[in-house]
Every structure is written in structure tokens, then in C-alpha cells.
């Protein structure tokens, strides 16, 4: 069922504490942890504790939690001392999504090109 933990989902396992992660922030509805393969000096993932396959599905099913993810992305950047940062939601394998549990990438600490690749 939408929102329920998925047994085969890596990020549900991080939420459950079954897979370790370097957690930088946690709220009732979200967890933020460092990306295992960082693409910038700051590279933190913010995920909802609820399982939804991508950001749009999360926003449709639980808009208040989608707002929590965005708010937490800003707080992560603030905590890292980043005035400028990028929040990315890769959606679909063609856009580089590899984990189908909604997540925001928070990237900062180096020049960020526009347009992105
Ligand atoms: P995406 O490719 O947009 O789906 O993002 C998934 C991200 O999860 C990638 O940047 C991976 O480096 C990251 N990732 C995969 N496994 C882990 C893990 N165990 N802990 C932290 N980050 C991970
Ligand atoms: Zn999940």
C-alpha cells in the first residue's frame, strides 16, 4: 500500500535502522543523511519516512510531508553553512533515479553549473 514500508527498498531500511547511514537531521516525518557517493562537498539526501516512489507521488499522496522534505532541505543547507545550494529530485531512470523512494539531493560546497547535466 502507498506509504507503507517496502521490504526491498534501501531507503525504507535506512528509516528502519536496518542499513546504517550518517544521519545529519531527523524529524517525525523525515530523515537526512549523507550520500554514500558524494557529488559535492555537501551531498545530503532528505527522505520522507513514508515510502513513495518519487517526489511527485509523495506530493500527491502526502503534500504536508513533501513540504517537510523541502523545509528540511533548507535546514540541511543552513546547517552546512551553505548560502547557495541545489535541491534535486531525479525522477525516472532516464534522469538518473536509482532508488525509487522519494529523496531530495541537497548539493553545496562547490560551483554548481547551470544548466545541470
Ligand atoms: P538517485 O540516483 O537520484 O536515485 O539517488 C540515489 C542516491 O542514493 C545516490 O546518490 C547514491 O549514491 C545514494 N545511495 C545509495 N546507497 C546509499 C546508502 N547506503 N547510503 C547513502 N546513500 C546511498
Ligand atoms: Zn522505501
Amino acid at each position: 500500500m502507498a506509504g507503507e514500508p517496502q521490504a526491498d527498498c534501501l531507503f525504507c531500511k535506512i528509516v528502519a535502522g536496518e542499513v546504517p547511514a550518517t544521519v545529519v537531521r531527523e524529524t517525525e516525518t523525515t530523515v537526512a543523511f549523507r550520500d554514500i557517493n558524494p557529488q559535492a562537498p555537501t551531498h545530503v539526501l532528505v527522505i520522507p519516512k513514508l515510502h513513495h516512489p518519487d517526489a511527485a507521488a509523495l506530493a500527491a499522496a502526502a503534500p504536508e510531508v513533501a513540504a517537510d522534505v523541502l523545509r528540511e532541505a533548507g535546514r540541511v543547507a543552513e546547517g552546512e553553512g551553505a548560502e547557495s545550494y541545489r535541491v534535486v529530485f531525479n525522477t525516472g531512470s532516464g534522469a538518473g533515479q536509482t532508488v525509487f523512494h522519494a529523496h531530495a539531493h541537497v548539493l553545496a560546497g562547490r560551483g554548481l553549473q547551470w544548466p545541470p547535466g
Side-chain angles (χ1 to χ4, degrees):
M1 193 201 295
E4 295 298 315
Q6 301 292 300
D8 59 350
C9 173
L10 174 63
F11 288 176
C12 284
K13 290 178 181 165
I14 287 177
V15 170
E18 294 166 11
V19 167
T22 304
V23 173
V24 296
R25 291 185 57 84
E26 183 168 3
T27 70
E28 199 176 316
T29 57
T30 66
V31 186
F33 54 93
R34 297 200 186 278
D35 196 291
I36 204 167
N37 182 24
Q39 302 301 312
T42 289
H43 188 173
V44 173
L45 302 176
V46 183
I47 69 171
K49 289 182 176 176
L50 294 173
H51 179 93
H52 292 283
D54 57 44
L58 172 67
E64 69 292 351
V65 179
D68 293 344
V69 169
L70 289 176
R71 189 182 315 106
E72 282 297 300
R75 287 179 177 158
V76 165
E78 187 181 356
E80 298 282 310
E83 287 181 15
S84 298
Y85 61 95
R86 185 167 291 157
V87 180
V88 175
F89 293 93
N90 294 327
T91 303
S93 54
Q97 188 177 6
T98 58
V99 178
F100 289 83
H101 177 131
H103 54 281
H105 296 258
V106 182
L107 297 154
R110 63 167 169 81
L112 294 166
Q113 292 184 341
W114 191 260

